[in-house]
């Protein structure tokens, strides 16, 4: 298996809340969702703990061919909840959560799963690259940040307006009409975006956190094809370095308004055939 991994924290010295694992015929990437400082999560652990523990537990089952990728993720979430249900309030809406992306070769198929804003980028022999992501979180950002009136989930628009931005997102987390992440509800696995392609048509699979897809989907400095060229020529480190250069050129978000100047960035670039 020819795989290159790059992962870097948001800034030097900060704990990296991303996680990546490579198994025989499978790749797992997790992006822990950092909560705003001062928010009571009910959890004694860090977001990085959640991302690594979920990632490790998912890695433990993801190569089992009797499980679909959604089954594997469901089992991973069940087990990470069990890992802290005795010590933490797993019913707290701000309990640590994470986005997930998985790719797996099974028989003649390349299967993928994406939950929330991670991306699986597939280079194909016959077609343009296919970038698979789950757009529900991004759509909700647009709705909450540009909200003129109360959303459909909330009958009382005044009560909704009084909530902080964080509370608004929490109100939509793992609910129909909102967005889905790995947190404390294993049923979120059923909401993941999944699919497959004939393995013979796939040239490479790149599994990426949103800190690494910014060069394309936020900054617009590369197309997905351009990002693939960069990955093939310079590897994940090259793509992350270009991302950091772009961020450094716009430190206060004038050109590219964004919540964080930089973010933890992870890419696993898997070149096929195995
Ligand atoms: Zn905990």
């Amino acid at each position: 298996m020819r795989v290159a991994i790059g992962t870097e924290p948001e800034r030097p010295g900060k704990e990296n809340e991303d996680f990546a694992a490579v198994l025989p015929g499978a790749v797992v990437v997790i992006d822990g969702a950092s909560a705003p400082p001062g928010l009571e999560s009910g959890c004694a652990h860090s977001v990085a703990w959640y991302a690594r523990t979920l990632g490790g537990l998912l890695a433990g089952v993801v190569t089992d061919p009797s499980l679909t990728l959604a089954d594997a993720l469901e089992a991973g979430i069940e087990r990470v909840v069990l890992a802290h249900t005795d010590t933490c309030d797993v019913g707290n809406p701000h309990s640590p959560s994470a986005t997930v992306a998985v790719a797996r070769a099974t028989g003649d198929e390349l299967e993928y799963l994406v939950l929330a804003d991670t991306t699986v980028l597939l280079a194909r022999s016959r077609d343009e690259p296919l970038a698979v992501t789950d757009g529900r979180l991004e759509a909700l950002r647009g709705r909450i940040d540009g909200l003129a009136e109360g959303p459909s989930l909330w009958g009382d628009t005044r009560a909704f307006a009084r909530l902080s931005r964080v509370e608004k997102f929490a109100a939509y987390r793992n609910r129909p009409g909102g967005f889905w992440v790995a947190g404390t509800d294993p049923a979120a696995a059923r909401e993941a975006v999944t699919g497959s392609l004939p393995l013979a048509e796939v040239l490479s699979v790149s599994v990426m956190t949103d800190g690494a897809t910014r060069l394309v989907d936020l900054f617009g400095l590369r197309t997905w094809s351009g990002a693939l060229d960069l990955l093939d020529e310079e590897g994940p480190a090259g793509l992350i370095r270009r991302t950091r250069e772009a961020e450094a050129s716009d430190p206060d978000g004038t050109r590219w308004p964004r919540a964080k100047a930089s973010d933890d960035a992870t890419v696993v670039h898997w070149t096929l055939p195995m």
Side-chain angles (χ1 to χ4, degrees), residues 172-265:
Y172 279 105
R173 185 181 302 126
N174 289 352
R175 288 182 59 171
F179 69 101
W180 298 83
V181 291
T184 54
D185 181 4
R190 300 290 151 203
E191 297 292 330
V193 175
T194 58
S196 65
L197 291 176
L199 194 55
E201 292 178 15
V202 181
L203 303 175
S204 70
V205 187
S206 306
V207 186
M208 312 163 76
T209 62
D210 68 329
T213 57
R214 298 178 145 200
L215 204 59
V216 176
D217 60 17
L218 183 60
F219 304 153
L221 293 175
R222 290 263 171 168
T223 60
W224 288 118
S225 285
L228 273 172
D229 292 343
L230 197 50
L231 287 169
D232 286 334
E233 289 159 16
E234 300 180 23
L239 185 136
I240 295 171
R241 187 176 66 250
R242 304 296 178 99
T243 304
R244 295 291 181 249
E245 286 168 4
E247 290 162 346
S249 75
D250 180 40
D252 46 15
T254 310
R255 182 173 177 192
W256 299 298
R258 54 197 194 271
K260 293 181 188 174
S262 296
D263 196 0
D264 299 339

Side-chain angles (χ1 to χ4, degrees), residues 42-45 49 78-91:
C43 176
H45 305 93
W49 173 88
E78 279 170 3
R79 291 172 191 194
V80 73
V81 172
L82 283 175
H84 68 149
T85 195
D86 289 345
T87 52
C88 307
D89 173 15
V90 295

